[in-house]
Amino acid sequence: MGRILDRLTSWWFWISALLIGTLLVLFFIMLGDQSGASISKFSWKFLFTSTWDPVHQIFGALPFLYGTAMTSLFAIVFGGVIGIASALFLVYFTRGRLRVILGTFIELLAAIPSVVYGLWGLFVLSPWLQNYGEPFLARVLGFLPLFHGMPVGVGYLAAGIILSVMIIPTVTSITRDILLAVPQDLHEGGLALGATEYEVIRNISLPYARAGIIGGLMLGLGRAFGETIAVTMVIGNRPEISASLFAPGYTMASVIANEFTEATSHLYISSLYEVGLVLLVVTILFFGVARLLIWRVSHVQKGRMV
């Protein structure tokens, strides 16, 4: 009986792995087939053309690639820093019920639906940015291209802030769990040698947990890549490239959600499918690079410990 259960379990694992791989291949086949007309028409120019004109049937994905990269990088810089800082606070500066309560509240942010974030961004965050936040940044940092332009409230800045808030629970939870796994003897040994709490965190805890923290950041960035509804509601939905965070823009996910039901021509629909194909390829390449980075960090860390 035990051998039968072992075989069934082994088969189930193999079937699950094959199913995941098959689904990924089917996604590529479907997107590649549906985007065939766009690929034939525009070829590689699709990735490097900034014109998106459904009337004249000219389509280029460069503004969407730019918007996705800009909002995602903004989110990982600000949301990642806040998430790591929150995890450090929970692990090293809180105890007992307070740690549990604060951790629960942070994790509850992940349970809020995307459309709620979008509504909050549209009716609370965007008006505040238009009236106070962006004018202040323009006065103080207006000499930089990132903070130059007319404050309109919706744009890359609003979308980046929304994404930052949305990835904080992921980064915080993973970083907290990794830091809790750091051997307590290392932490106490550093304190016993006369190091301060800050020095122990900087020189022992963070280097030890570096690979896991990078993994948490990559998962958060993956969510920022694919977020759709909340970003669509606050980014302004304009297929243009601008260096200013105040300017409206577009992302790959938001253009598909916003324009797919309005697409009337075969080439228009095919171009939107190709945007989805590009998003899938970019996501897979990104996670491949992330896995390689995590492996290299872990390998170097093990080498130093040996």
Side-chain angles (χ1 to χ4, degrees), residues 127-238:
W128 183 85
L129 286 175
Q130 182 180 15
N131 296 321
Y132 304 103
E134 291 180 354
F136 172 78
L137 291 173
R139 287 195 304 269
V140 177
L141 301 173
F143 58 92
L144 297 174
L146 286 174
F147 304 102
H148 181 74
M150 181 69 66
V152 293
V154 293
Y156 295 119
L157 182 60
I161 293 174
I162 290 289
L163 290 176
S164 299
V165 176
M166 295 180 73
I167 71 172
I168 284 175
T170 301
V171 177
T172 300
S173 298
I174 294 176
T175 304
R176 179 195 60 193
D177 294 340
I178 294 297
L179 290 174
L180 288 173
V182 175
Q184 189 66 22
D185 293 342
L186 293 178
H187 187 83
E188 294 176 353
L191 295 175
L193 291 174
T196 63
E197 188 79 26
Y198 170 75
E199 290 172 336
V200 171
I201 292 173
R202 184 187 62 183
N203 299 320
I204 297 177
S205 299
L206 288 178
Y208 189 94
R210 185 181 302 155
I213 294 173
I214 293 175
L217 290 173
M218 296 303 102
L219 287 176
L221 187 54
R223 180 175 185 185
F225 265 158
E227 178 54 42
T228 305
I229 299 301
V231 173
T232 303
M233 297 175 71
V234 298
I235 198 171
N237 302 320
R238 181 185 297 174

Side-chain angles (χ1 to χ4, degrees), residues 18-39:
L18 290 174
L19 179 62
I20 294 173
T22 302
L23 286 174
L24 185 59
V25 172
L26 290 175
F27 284 148
F28 271 110
I29 293 174
M30 184 272 292
L31 291 173
D33 179 65
Q34 295 294 331
S35 60
S38 177
I39 295 174

Side-chain angles (χ1 to χ4, degrees), residues 256-289:
I256 296 172
N258 206 39
E259 299 190 15
F260 198 86
T261 57
E262 301 176 359
T264 54
S265 67
H266 177 64
L267 185 60
Y268 192 1
I269 296 174
S270 180
S271 298
L272 290 172
Y273 271 112
E274 189 174 0
V275 173
L277 178 62
V278 173
L279 178 59
L280 179 60
V281 171
V282 169
T283 303
I284 291 175
L285 290 176
F286 166 76
F287 275 106
V289 173

Side-chain angles (χ1 to χ4, degrees), residues 86-87 89-91 94-112 117 165 168-170 172-174 176-177 180:
S86 300
F89 179 76
L90 290 175
V91 172
T94 60
R95 294 291 184 273
R97 288 186 176 181
L98 181 60
R99 175 188 292 177
V100 176
I101 293 172
L102 291 178
T104 301
F105 274 112
I106 293 175
E107 291 174 352
L108 281 175
L109 292 174
I112 299 176
Y117 279 111
V165 176
I168 284 175
T170 301
T172 300
S173 298
I174 294 176
R176 179 195 60 193
D177 294 340
L180 288 173

